[in-house]
Amino acid sequence: MAKQLGREQQGITLRGSAEIVAEFFSYGINSILYQRGIYPPETFTRVTKYGLTLLVTTDPELKNYLNNVVEQMKEWLDKCIVQRLVVVISSIENNEVLERWQFDIECDKTAKDESAPREKSQKAIQDEIRSVIRQITATVTFLPLLETTCAFDLLIYTDKDLAVPEKWEESGPQFIANSEEVRLRSFTTTIHKVNSMVSYKKDSFP
Amino acid sequence: MSQDCNDEWELSKENVQPLRQGRVMSTLQEALAQQQETSIHTTLQLKKQEFESEIRFYSGDDPLDVWDRYIKWTEQTFPQGGKEGNLAAVLERAVKALNEQQQYYRDPRYLNLWLKFGNCCNEPLDLYSYLHSQEIGTTLAQLYITWAEVLEARGNFKKADLIFQEGLQRKAEPLDKLQSHHRQFQTRVSRQTLLGLEETPDEKDVDLVGAEQPQRSSLAELKGRGKKKVRAPISRVGDALKATKKNGSFPAVTSQQLSNNPGFAVFDENAASGPELPVLTPQPWAAPPLPRAKENELSARSWNSGRRPHSSASSGVGVPCPLPTFTPYVEESAQQQVMTPCKIEPSVNRVLCTRKPEKEEDPLQRVQNHQQDTQEKKEVVMYCKEKVYAGVEEFSLEEIRAEIYRKKAKKQTEELMQAIAQKKEEIQRQIEELEKKLKKKEDDKQKQPHEQPTERTEASPPLGPEGFPFSSVTEAGEKLPQLQSEFQVSEDAQLRRPSCSEGTQSGNVFLDSEDEQEEKRDEATLGKKDVGLIPPPGSATFFSIFDESSTLTNQNISCSADNTQKSARRPLAVLKPSDPLTAKENIPPEACDELNTIEHLTEDAIVTGSYKNKTLCANPEDTCDFVRAAHLASTPFHGVVAQRVPAPAFSQSVLKEDCPESKSAPLNPEMTGCEGAYNEALCVNKLSPIMEASREDTRSSGSSVSSGSSLSSVTQISTIKYLHIPEKLELAQSLPAEMVTDSGGVDENITGDDVTQFLWSAEQRKKLLDPVPESLAASPDFHLETGALPVMKVEKDVELGNETYCIKGEYWTNEEYKMFFALPTNFLQLDAKGFAIKVYSQPVPWDFYITLQLQERLKADFDQSFSENCSCYLYQDGCAVLHRDINHLTLGDVIRGCKSITEEVILLVVYNLLGVVEKLHKAEIVHGDLNPEVFFLGDRICDPFTNNEISRALKIVDFSHSLDLRLQPRVSLPNSFPTSTTPHGQQLLAKSSLPYQVDLVGIADIVHLLLFGDHIQVYQEDSMWKISQNVSKTVDSDFWSKLFGRILNADGKSTVPLLRELREEISDMFDSCFQERLCESLTALGETSLLKNFL
């Protein structure tokens, strides 16, 4: 996902925006998986992105899976039919949902018909994305310890009229009962706006 | 917006310790926001205080719950941990407090408490084995999981596995969780060993390169050190260190290196296998280090390598010898000793040097010590130590007491509310009944409608139902305080019963030892008492508790009176001989329940609210408490004996048994004279508190008995403090006397009548103020209005000057005078402050004249006590005086509204009262009608934020019956004042008395009303006027009796100095502590009066 240098002059197009957002998801999900210890830390490797050192998985299967999802996301983002991406972290043992990372996507559907690119510098977007990823890293300050081994699941909310692709299946929202929600920062490419939020199981503390 | 609220936690994420159970975002944000604002700190303190007091006064069966919440709250509220939250201390206290509570041993909360506590301990492993041995939480999986985790973290996989096995064997709950943890543990271990085996030489090299670089421990100090060359300290951590140690020998530490690293004593978990000794050199690795992925450790950057050349100097020096694996505990303690000889540069500030690990006592050890202590403890704590030290913070006894008091007070108000509700219901029922009756009547009337005009029938029915409830409600309101006091009385009586019975007990004992005559006398008086106490509350107890042990102890007393040596064997008995009342303490101190009951007693006495603010003894009057307090404080206690002996009027023989004597003295009619002398003698040298106590002692010892003497009401010593019944008897008794004086007063009234007419007649005043004095007419506040006086009624608007006022209420009214409370119409809300409108049906601006005269004569002394801001509107047929800034309550409202006015408030009010009258008299003005209704409350009482120096508690604006003695010099007829027509006034005021005297009587009456809630009743004895109420049950009784004595017997003396003296005496009682109590009382008063407003 090399930077497309030309884009900076051009501004933001729908296609470029979809790419940026999909890329963010790729790194974001990787960060979450690393931070929350879903996969052993030694299976991650460092890359520099957005001016940050991020960890991405080296596990080929996981990589493949994530690539698939991100590609699919890109396609849907391009069509402006995706509303939300959710990373659900649940315990392997009892399938209890422990954490739920929710990325709400607001698509500006008018961009589909526009031909002229929007004005927003690549750098400004990157800065915004960086602060979101930083926050994801910082959430360890308040998130509960995941004491059991966990698995993750990706949910994507799309517009209703979409036919479910082959590799996907329909699912429930997998909400957490009695949860604490924390909104994180959001970023926008002017075409897609991504609001992030994490919800986690509330302690019995009043 | 979302960014705004997110900022805080992200900005200080480094200052937040992660919690196992996660954090509540709102609390976190709050806590972090509070770091900046110290003002909100107080809310935290309050919350903490709440927990602390809850711990102390928890009455449920789950004390762990409070602690659990407290700890969770602390964790959440102090995200950075540290001293502020003091979590470690809280945990330690909790563990101590809940120690050996078997019912919690299977409670996961309890186990969690211990496990959290373990994190604060130096050696959690010890704690786990302790828990295991104590069977605490051994049925819970969490114990084994945590235990194994710690062991695993230290590399002791074998032991960790053993712990898991143990847990599985015990079938710890939840078993599946334990199993899964065990599985995960196993996979982790196996993967690690697998990785270690599969390591390729390539990777080894990579690791070598990585390890060869000096690494810094995370969070270690990076401040440059060294004298010549400043360099940051490097301490080996992680793989590099391990590898180094495998190398074999320890590096020969040169002193130079040590001086470079004075700050390394920081204990680091990572250093569990070795101290942070300066290893500045890259060591040649003899063996490849174990590759371990440590995600939290950053590998050192290249800029570090710049120092390598320097450090190479010490290369080749030995490395720490590899210590045996898997015994981290032993290893650590051994290492700690190595760590201490670290030499500290003399220049380094000692204050900042690290604590030596040896000195730091392990909290676990403390807890264990504590447990042992409690087991071995022999001493009995004589104060509620467990309450004082229950929580983390220390509570003062006052705080504890206040808490108990508050609880009781709350209960009382609840009860009161219930009573009110019941009353209301009853009244409602009555109303309904009456309505029914009325309706019936109405029907009857309608049946015979012939002669009656219909309008009238219509007018009367609504009057009935409306009129009645009103009156009945006020009646109920008036009854309430009475009810309350009655309730309290009975409670008091109950409370005191044990001590009373004890008193009689000892009295009975003395019957044995006294000669026959005495016995007879005592019996007689006891019999009398039975008569006196019409229904003696729980009279059975007076005699039933007579048991042998008490006989014995009392015999002990009488013996010891002769032979103190004998009784000296008992540590406490020395004090007793003189004091039969302390007999109950003669019961061996081991009898703990006895002590407990004492404790309860005193607490309850405080709680009843009648005797607040005394810390040492619950009731200052109660010398039993006082004596006990002396014991508790274990001060050398000999006051009673020593001070009693010199009491005159007692022969030697009496002295021997002076206690029984003094006790029985009030009972003995023949002894009254002697006893009076005794009493007086005591009054005179009441210097030391113990002396005072001993006097009270005599009284209270006789309290249960002397009611008989009160029947005769000869002496003043009929001080029945707790049994209020005799007081009522007294009242009943004094009634006939009153009636007599009443009938006597009628004649006087008749004779005085025409004079009164003369004195107060409008003509007289008109003459005096005609022509209107210049000073009056020239005043800017004097308005001469044409036309008639406007009609003033409640809820009507009235125009005075250019303002329109809405009259909200009426204070009092008679044919000539009316006093209204009004607000400007544009201020419709009923406020505490407003205007008082005084209406006089004669066109004489008398009040205004007096006010002006006061202003003129007093000059600087004319202060808030008077109406500083009033205007007069003189109409053709009347006069209205408008007083601004008047609080809408009068002293009368307070007396009626409050069940009990606290001593502080009374003192304040009396102080101001004396001051006001003093000023009036100084200005040669006699008020003539001093009663609670004429005094409006001043800002001192109503406005809590006022300046205490200038504000006054009372304000007087009404001078309807005042005399200006400069203007009317020859008047010397006090009988014509309203005060002098009251029963007490008629008694006290002779025809010849000075007019000033009238106001003294008024003062006495007001003070009496404040103290006892009813009008003063006086009698003459030895040509001294005395009040029939018993002053001694009030706080500061000495002062009050003195005040009454002087005010009532001030014949012909000048009043101004007298009033000043009394006032100064009160001001001597004002100290800082008094002010505090006063503030409290005023707020309490404010609340009740507010409440009254709403009702």
Side-chain angles (χ1 to χ4, degrees), chain A residues 34 40-42 46 93 128 131 134-149 180-186 195-196 200-206, chain B residues 2-3 6-7 9-10 13-14 16-28 69 72-73 76 142 149 176-177 180-181 183-184 191 195 293 295 297-298 301:
Chain A
Y34 174 75
E42 55 265 31
R46 287 165 203 219
E93 272 132 45
E128 284 180 16
S131 57
R134 276 217 178 110
Q135 275 202 326
I136 292 173
T137 318
T139 49
V140 284
T141 53
F142 60 85
L143 286 181
L145 191 71
L146 296 173
E147 292 189 71
T148 57
T149 39
E180 175 90 18
E181 292 183 359
V182 178
R183 294 208 155 272
L184 304 178
R185 285 175 200 273
S186 55
N195 297 316
S196 330
Y200 53 97
K201 236 176 91 173
K202 208 188 262 180
D203 187 44
S204 53
F205 185 78
Chain B
S2 67
Q3 288 193 355
N6 273 335
D7 267 2
W9 68 264
E10 203 195 343
K13 57 177 178 280
E14 295 88 351
V16 178
Q17 292 185 339
L19 276 185
R20 191 173 276 270
Q21 71 268 32
R23 289 193 177 274
V24 183
M25 188 37 97
S26 54
T27 327
L28 180 62
R69 279 183 289 124
K72 278 185 176 162
W73 175 82
Q76 295 281 353
Q142 194 59 47
E149 254 173 27
D176 51 340
K177 194 177 166 190
S180 77
H181 273 268
R183 264 201 311 277
Q184 284 161 34
R191 198 174 57 213
L195 276 171
E295 64 274 13
E297 273 165 25
L298 291 170
R301 299 287 153 82

Side-chain angles (χ1 to χ4, degrees), chain B residues 330-349:
Chain B
V330 183
E331 199 180 358
E332 193 180 18
S333 63
Q335 296 287 331
Q336 275 171 1
Q337 275 164 0
V338 182
M339 197 158 64
T340 38
C342 173
K343 211 174 98 189
I344 293 163
E345 243 181 341
S347 61
V348 173
N349 192 351

